[in-house]
Amino acid sequence: ARSYGVPIVAYHGDNGRFSENKFFADIDKFPEQGLTFCAVNHHSQNPYAENRIRYLSELVRTMLLHAIHRWSDAISVHLWPYALRSSTEVDNLTPRSKDAQTPVDLFSGTRIQPQLRNFHHFGCPVYQLDSALASGKSLNKWKSRAQLGINLGPLPTHARSIALQYSTRSLD
């Protein structure tokens, strides 16, 4: 929120992580922020968040089952955190049909044009060029030029055009 210039006015959560002393201390640094609590497992108090969680859970389930069906030797349900991050990233950068705005546009108040060429399906095969070739060196003609991997979505710490990949070498 801070990176987009959106101030946080209030938090609404359960008595779990939100009631810890470290969280209270952080909120005390910003007197304009408030905190309210709801009952534990009382889903009706935050329907927007619960609907979003349900929607993303169904999306992740679909993506994982599709990837497992296509590549059962390499993909398993243990990759669900990566599928969640990938589906959230794609959903946040996909324009809505009613107003052609993305959720990131609405949140930040800034128009962000998604680069569709950087969107790749979770679990699809990717090929990483050998680092020697990438640095301009030559290789023996019988040596493999690329390594096979699995696309896990965009790399969160770099540009959105860089993909996080899982190496299939550990599967051999």
Side-chain angles (χ1 to χ4, degrees):
R2 186 177 299 132
S3 66
Y4 288 115
V6 177
I8 305 256
V9 177
Y11 294 95
H12 184 67
D14 60 23
N15 291 331
R17 306 292 295 183
F18 294 101
S19 63
E20 292 181 358
N21 289 335
K22 286 184 179 182
F23 191 74
F24 280 136
D26 194 52
I27 288 179
D28 286 340
K29 293 177 189 174
F30 303 96
E32 68 276 3
Q33 293 179 352
L35 174 63
T36 58
F37 292 109
C38 64
V40 177
N41 293 327
H42 202 277
H43 303 294
S44 63
Q45 289 194 8
N46 198 346
Y48 299 109
E50 295 301 328
N51 285 338
R52 179 78 173 156
I53 291 167
R54 180 178 177 191
Y55 169 75
L56 286 173
S57 297
E58 290 174 358
L59 190 59
V60 167
R61 180 180 175 273
T62 302
M63 288 172 68
L64 262 178
L65 289 177
H66 176 73
I68 290 170
H69 177 72
R70 303 286 299 206
W71 202 352
S72 60
D73 294 341
I75 309 272
S76 73
V77 295
H78 300 293
L79 296 176
W80 74 265
Y82 300 102
L84 178 62
R85 183 174 41 213
S86 178
S87 64
T88 303
E89 182 79 14
V90 169
D91 194 59
N92 283 337
L93 293 172
T94 303
R96 302 291 182 239
S97 58
K98 65 180 180 181
D99 57 7
Q101 287 189 308
T102 67
V104 172
D105 293 344
L106 296 172
F107 181 74
S108 67
T110 306
R111 182 79 174 142
I112 297 174
Q113 191 67 25
Q115 299 293 320
L116 296 180
R117 70 174 177 265
N118 297 329
F119 286 81
H120 301 287
H121 199 279
F122 172 83
C124 71
V126 293
Y127 295 91
Q128 179 181 3
L129 189 62
D130 188 287
S131 59
L133 282 175
S135 63
K137 298 176 184 172
S138 61
L139 292 176
N140 180 317
K141 70 179 182 178
W142 299 112
K143 189 171 186 225
S144 176
R145 305 266 193 260
Q147 177 184 339
L148 178 64
I150 300 167
N151 178 39
L152 297 179
L155 194 58
T157 56
H158 292 301
R160 288 188 172 104
S161 60
I162 308 288
L164 178 63
Q165 69 176 359
Y166 178 66
S167 173
T168 57
R169 283 188 184 171
S170 61
L171 301 174
D172 296 335

